[in-house]
Amino acid sequence: MTIETDFTHDPDAKSWVESANGHPSFPVQNLPLCVFSPPSGGEPRGGIAIGDMILDLVDIADMLELDAATAAQLASGPKLNDLLQRGPDMMRALRHGVFELLTDDTDKKTIEPALHKADDCHLYVPVTIGDYTDFYTGIHHAENIGSLFRPDNPLLPNYKYVPIGYHGRSSSIRLSGKDVHRPSGQKKPAQDGAQPDFGPSERLDYEMEMGIWIGQGNGLGQPIPIHKAEEHIAGISILNDWSARDIQAWEYQPLGPFLAKNFHSTISPWIVTMDALAPFRTAQPARPDGDPAPLEYLMDDNDQQNGAFGVTMDVYISTAKMREDGDEPHQLSTGPMTSMYWTAAQLVAHHSVGGCNMQPGDLLGTGTLTSGEEGGEGSLIELTEGGKKPITLPNGETRTFLENGDEIIMTAYAEKAGYARIGIGECRAVITG
Amino acid sequence: MTIETDFTHDPDAKSWVESANGHPSFPVQNLPLCVFSPPSGGEPRGGIAIGDMILDLVDIADMLELDAATAAQLASGPKLNDLLQRGPDMMRALRHGVFELLTDDTDKKTIEPALHKADDCHLYVPVTIGDYTDFYTGIHHAENIGSLFRPDNPLLPNYKYVPIGYHGRSSSIRLSGKDVHRPSGQKKPAQDGAQPDFGPSERLDYEMEMGIWIGQGNGLGQPIPIHKAEEHIAGISILNDWSARDIQAWEYQPLGPFLAKNFHSTISPWIVTMDALAPFRTAQPARPDGDPAPLEYLMDDNDQQNGAFGVTMDVYISTAKMREDGDEPHQLSTGPMTSMYWTAAQLVAHHSVGGCNMQPGDLLGTGTLTSGEEGGEGSLIELTEGGKKPITLPNGETRTFLENGDEIIMTAYAEKAGYARIGIGECRAVITG
């Protein structure tokens, strides 16, 4: 099925859920998955966003047929791993079935009780995240960070060959909206050879990333070839990989970031599916002259032509004072997801090439995505040039790193002429002491 | 309760399970936990080793009382996380209850059907491992590896302050006995600036580690203080952290090991409990003159006096030819677990100090434990000085790194005058192509 023949991409399609039509994030062309509990309470279960509402998949499973019904049943529990495991065909069946229910008003009266105001629902991390891997695909971020941590050697020789990544901490991933405690830890001493300082991080930062959800897994010792890798991806969310730069600078050699990252990561609630994103896939940007071609196991023509995501990401800050004064959040950056040096499929192929088994619900972070243009910096350490140049907010407050009470808000969306704009969601959290 | 007043440490205690008495690993003083299915089949469930047998905890739960009965019920499923979560008192109640059942022969006839020959049972990874963290506490290993990877800079300035660790991959941890597929990957090019090689690792190695199981978890943002850390440890096992050195050398900067480690890790089947280990706890060796004292959050007098483990670890190799010829495995090394530069409690306190939440069943690897004396090298890269000096086996075969068909066998035990010797178990696997 191509984008042209899949009726769920029709920009003129309307839902009888009025708030969906023209909705900036959740028109009927999006239909992202979540886990929620309704305002009346009850166990967490799978849902789908439509306009300002969430459709309860448990309640409407009986109205679906064949694979769509099976998919809704697989999504009836508190985690969506079982649905993700069944792969793209099952995900597509659910999308098509729900699209029909929400565009054809024949059963409107029956379905309406299964719709809940999203603002009144409680949302949950939608899967059990077995393993979380954070990549480092933002080459402009890698260059910026590298020049701060290793001025003589910003981009290491392996960067353009290896999709650099490391294992992150899955236990501390929390949904958007959950406060972030400022971590304490050992911080790099002011001078070489001195004892490290210990205390609350003074260089607390955010990182604008996108999260990629694994759908179907692979067996241990059975690599996923690059041309099959997309079939193992279920969808995307927004990821804020909070980072304590002073802890990171001291601890990260030789085995990588640890406490600097594992105190908390924030994920947006919606799994925006690969089908919803299909119209917004785009060519992987050409590599700069002189860069090596990807090795064969990372090279697939179709992936090079369609493997990138035409998604725009925005970061905002809202300080405690701004909220008190009723000020709007202030935009810190905007940038395209195409700043990934590697495609999502390349990340999956690389991750599994040695035989590592991926499991449904595993999360891959893209790494901080910085556009390379001014205003496209994906972290404060880049915006403030390592904390040396504070930024000034519209109300006169300044920031080098995050202060208690600061809220970071990330949003992302895809839009393209001829298609309905879809939102990826919102990822926000307030720093507490 | 002290070691002296806990009757389960009585070296003269005998079990009516004859094979337990004088058993080199599993006398009644040990009683390690496992998950198994009996020879007749059936669902995986919790068990306890006694001599050559495994006691089925499902079958005997009704014969226990109070907390011991609750503990056996918590261990009735395919994973022991729920039992571990309940902490040391619950674990001790189970130990005491089972000890009484197996030493007092009143109910022998009733219990005997719940005993299965261990060799005929199928064993499983005993918990769901949410997160796996690998530390680097073996200072002699860190020095040896450091001098190979960074000749000018073997031990980095943070090493003696920070219990260095990184997040590992939990999905690819397998039980002892499961074959290990040799991973393929990008390998460091022979000369700087050249394209990396791709293919099967030619420098495949083992790492002799111990695994520490987390029992009770902590909440996100709620560090575990050092003096409470032992209460969060459930027990230990043997861990082989297989490593592809050529992949590691190319990929590990700046974010640490990734594909070099995540293709497979092997764990021994038994969780040897902290109570079983109590008689063998020993003082943390004094730091060499000139080394800094641990920072305050890592310092506890009781931990310094009793926080180390008097456990001896042995590594053996058995090549395909040796097995064909009926040769015994050849011992590669032996060393004490006291070569850890940090105690287990320090690892837990450090891991959580920034607020990271630990969960029951999380696994902490000690890192490769190399004794610092000849014959105490915990990996082949150390034994062969970076692959430059092959070792010769008794049958004339030589090895720099592992070849297909090689089996690595790790064992560990604790012994001390006045106490029954206990075994930690066995961790073995064969390399396949």
Side-chain angles (χ1 to χ4, degrees), chain A residues 8-31:
Chain A
T8 67
H9 299 307
D10 177 0
D12 299 324
K14 300 277 181 234
S15 173
W16 51 260
V17 180
E18 294 293 343
S19 64
N21 303 319
H23 194 282
S25 292
F26 304 131
V28 73
Q29 292 85 355
N30 192 349
L31 302 179

Side-chain angles (χ1 to χ4, degrees), chain B residues 97-427:
Chain B
V98 168
F99 185 94
E100 287 175 4
L101 288 183
L102 294 174
T103 49
D104 177 347
D105 64 4
T106 311
D107 294 315
K108 178 178 170 183
K109 287 274 173 265
T110 319
I111 298 167
E112 272 177 340
L115 288 166
H116 305 281
K117 266 203 175 264
D119 282 350
D120 298 336
C121 293
H122 192 80
L123 289 158
Y124 302 86
V125 175
V127 297
T128 298
I129 303 171
D131 280 290
Y132 158 45
T133 299
D134 200 20
F135 282 94
Y136 199 50
T137 73
I139 190 168
H140 305 296
H141 172 75
E143 285 168 338
N144 292 343
I145 290 286
S147 67
L148 294 169
F149 281 64
R150 294 175 303 278
D152 303 335
N153 208 9
L155 210 59
L156 297 170
N158 56 13
Y159 188 87
K160 291 175 179 175
Y161 291 100
V162 180
I164 296 288
Y166 68 102
H167 301 114
R169 179 82 188 176
S170 62
S171 74
S172 53
I173 299 173
R174 291 292 180 276
L175 202 71
S176 176
K178 174 89 179 165
D179 288 352
V180 174
H181 289 278
R182 179 181 300 272
S184 286
Q186 295 188 34
K187 298 174 284 187
K188 191 168 184 169
Q191 61 190 76
D192 287 350
Q195 176 162 309
D197 298 318
F198 180 87
S201 171
E202 292 164 278
R203 292 165 70 89
L204 186 56
D205 201 355
Y206 62 86
E207 291 196 336
M208 172 78 224
E209 303 198 12
M210 297 300 292
I212 297 160
W213 297 103
I214 297 297
Q216 292 179 98
N218 62 302
L220 187 67
Q222 296 170 2
I224 299 169
I226 179 77
H227 68 279
K228 291 276 191 188
E230 283 265 339
E231 297 172 25
H232 293 263
I233 301 173
I236 67 172
S237 297
I238 305 168
L239 176 65
N240 185 345
D241 180 35
W242 304 97
S243 299
R245 303 297 181 191
D246 38 8
I247 296 173
Q248 184 175 359
W250 176 234
E251 75 173 2
Y252 91 106
Q253 284 190 317
L255 300 181
F258 183 47
L259 300 192
K261 304 273 193 175
N262 71 8
F263 57 96
H264 200 125
S265 309
T266 304
I267 191 88
S268 63
W270 313 101
I271 299 179
V272 177
T273 67
M274 295 302 269
D275 267 2
L277 292 160
F280 309 100
R281 303 303 295 278
T282 176
Q284 176 67 355
R287 292 182 161 207
D289 283 348
D291 281 12
L295 295 192
E296 193 179 337
Y297 77 99
L298 296 172
M299 193 61 197
D300 177 72
D301 285 344
N302 189 44
D303 181 49
Q304 289 296 309
Q305 286 157 26
N306 295 291
F309 292 87
V311 165
T312 302
M313 310 165 305
D314 297 317
V315 183
Y316 302 84
I317 190 170
S318 170
T319 67
K321 182 170 191 313
M322 288 165 68
R323 292 197 300 282
E324 268 171 37
D325 295 346
D327 295 343
E328 288 297 303
H330 170 69
Q331 185 158 4
L332 292 172
S333 69
T334 186
M337 199 176 159
T338 48
S339 62
M340 292 170 68
Y341 191 76
W342 304 96
T343 67
Q346 287 175 321
L347 302 186
V348 170
H350 180 68
H351 202 317
S352 66
V353 73
C356 180
N357 58 319
M358 318 292 290
Q359 300 186 120
D362 283 349
L363 179 63
L364 311 185
T366 57
T368 307
L369 297 180
T370 288
S371 71
E373 295 180 16
E374 198 173 324
E377 297 84 358
S379 63
L380 269 179
I381 196 170
E382 292 171 89
L383 275 170
T384 66
E385 298 178 25
K388 289 193 294 286
K389 297 192 179 172
I391 54 168
T392 302
L393 305 180
N395 69 354
E397 289 184 283
T398 61
R399 286 292 181 276
T400 46
F401 290 96
L402 295 171
E403 299 193 3
N404 292 348
D406 286 353
E407 180 170 39
I408 291 294
I409 305 154
M410 298 175 173
T411 61
Y413 61 91
E415 65 182 354
K416 182 180 174 181
Y419 293 94
R421 168 189 157 126
I422 64 171
I424 311 302
E426 187 183 76
C427 184

